[in-house]
Amino acid sequence: MATPTPTPARQVHPVDEVPPVRHLAAFGLQHVLAMYAGAVAVPLIVGSAMKLSPADMAYLITADLLLCGIATLIQCVGFWRFGVRLPIMQGCTFAAVSPMVLIGTGGGGLPAIYGSVIVAGLAIILLAPVFGKLLRFFPPLVTGTVILIIGLSLLPVAGNWAAGGVGSPDFGEPKNLALAAFVLAAVLAVQRFGPVFLSRIAVLLGIAVGLAVAVPFGFTDFDGVGSADWLGISTPFHFGAPTFEASAIASMLVVALVTMTETTGDFIAVGEMTDRKIEPRSLADGLRADGLSTVLGGVFNTFPYTAYAQNVGLVGMTRVRSRWVVATAGGILVLLGLLPKLGAVVAAIPAPVLGGAGLVMFGTVAASGLRTLAQVDFKGNNNLTVVAVSVAVGMLPVGVPTVYAKFPDWFQTVMNSGISAGCLTAIVLNLLFNHLPSKGGSAAPEADGLASGGGEDTVEKSREEVV
């Protein structure tokens, strides 16, 4: 009797692999350190503009960290039709800062902010399936351009950190830049000469080494650790029942559209890096999770949530693709939100240390965009023009932050984000040059249902053909 051939074990995709616990903790902490400064910046900015008391500011920060963790877990682990199930970190979106400051200081206060945030979250949940169907408008030409813009637009953030942090009295001092350069050199040295595991936590080790150097030289301030509480729990509607004002809701709905556009770019970028391409259904599931997290933010005294681009760079740099690593980072954020004293310790890491690590992470995002654009045909067509103009429009508000200061608020909300401005420009120009009828005649339908601009050479490959 012949022995039956054993059935080969089903291979687990790298995104779904669960690394050992010690690796999960190290990789997860690395993601937390990469996004922590950005996560606490939004409540700090809004609270400062509204002149909240130190106690209320601390409450906003711990509530934000708690919800960052919950939102990350929803996005990475997922349930039912919520969650993209990719290594995506969630945090408060900076696109909402200006509208929220205007709402909060214009008489509405925090209740009006939270009312508009809840409505915006519900709108994102409802619009998620519609956005999912728009994925065909993101061929490699557009996605590569958007990923490139994401990386380039983040580099000034790393530069500000390296110089000491915006508003710092010693901003730009050579000692700050020297510390950032030391951290950058440490990250590169570990990645080049360290064993495989250490090279994957090069950012974490660089930050640890930088912190060890920063302490004796007086860069750190641990005064906030002693005054922080051991336990803090965010309760629903701590600042009062939400109010729903039409003008506040209208401005926050514009923010919702901007964050959905930015998040779509981040999802596609991570999908490219992890070899798990984003499909219309998974995009809708991810955006739906964003909406749910935003609703929870309005209930639990925090703000709208979106994917954090700085962690996209970390995924590309470390090549650690497991979503369970980022889910672990979400768990760490939950602990930081429940244990304010622990959060104060992380907050004491000086900005130049984060800046040195940020330079390599954010540069990795831009390099990933170039890698995607390398798949696009640039001969005999206008694809180079699409990239050139899109990058120029995306970088305009980054290089000249006040360029749209005279425009209406809704226009500033959309265009002051280099990511959303560049993304919208890339989509429109791709349609204009590659999908409208060419000068010589009518367009032929492509496999994805869009019209092609005709011409001698194939303009670009469909997403299914490009690997």
Side-chain angles (χ1 to χ4, degrees), residues 428-441:
V428 171
L429 292 182
N430 179 53
L431 291 174
L432 175 65
F433 284 110
N434 295 329
H435 299 295
L436 290 181
S438 64
K439 297 176 184 177

Side-chain angles (χ1 to χ4, degrees), residues 89-227:
M89 284 292 291
Q90 298 284 106
C92 284
T93 174
F94 283 86
V97 170
S98 295
M100 289 192 299
V101 169
L102 292 173
I103 296 168
T105 58
L110 287 172
I113 292 177
Y114 294 140
S116 64
V117 168
I118 291 172
V119 173
L122 293 173
I124 293 173
I125 293 174
L126 294 175
L127 291 174
V130 177
F131 248 75
K133 295 177 181 177
L134 299 179
L135 191 60
R136 60 179 182 163
F137 294 104
F138 290 85
L141 175 64
V142 174
T143 58
T145 303
V146 172
I147 297 169
L148 175 61
I149 292 172
I150 290 173
L152 294 177
S153 64
L154 286 172
L155 286 175
V157 176
N160 284 323
W161 286 347
V166 177
S168 173
D170 61 349
F171 185 86
E173 288 283 345
K175 64 176 184 178
N176 292 334
L177 295 171
L179 178 58
F182 173 75
V183 172
L184 175 59
V187 171
L188 295 177
V190 172
Q191 195 167 17
R192 172 62 181 86
F193 300 108
V196 175
F197 170 68
L198 291 183
S199 68
R200 291 179 174 176
I201 57 170
V203 170
L204 177 61
L205 293 177
I207 291 174
V209 172
L211 185 59
V213 172
V215 171
F217 283 95
F219 282 90
T220 53
D221 180 9
F222 290 100
D223 292 342
V225 178
S227 59

Side-chain angles (χ1 to χ4, degrees), residues 12 57 59 66 127-128 135 219 250 258 270 276 288 302 312 378 408 410 413 453 459 463:
V12 178
M57 292 276 285
Y59 193 95
L66 176 64
L127 291 174
L135 191 60
F219 282 90
V258 172
V270 174
R276 176 173 279 181
R288 201 177 283 112
T302 180
V312 173
F378 287 100
W410 66 267
T413 301
V459 172
R463 288 186 59 80

Side-chain angles (χ1 to χ4, degrees), residues 21 69 82 90 122 133 156 187 216 352 365 395-396 454:
V21 174
F82 292 85
Q90 298 284 106
L122 293 173
K133 295 177 181 177
V187 171
V365 180
M395 290 297 98
L396 193 58

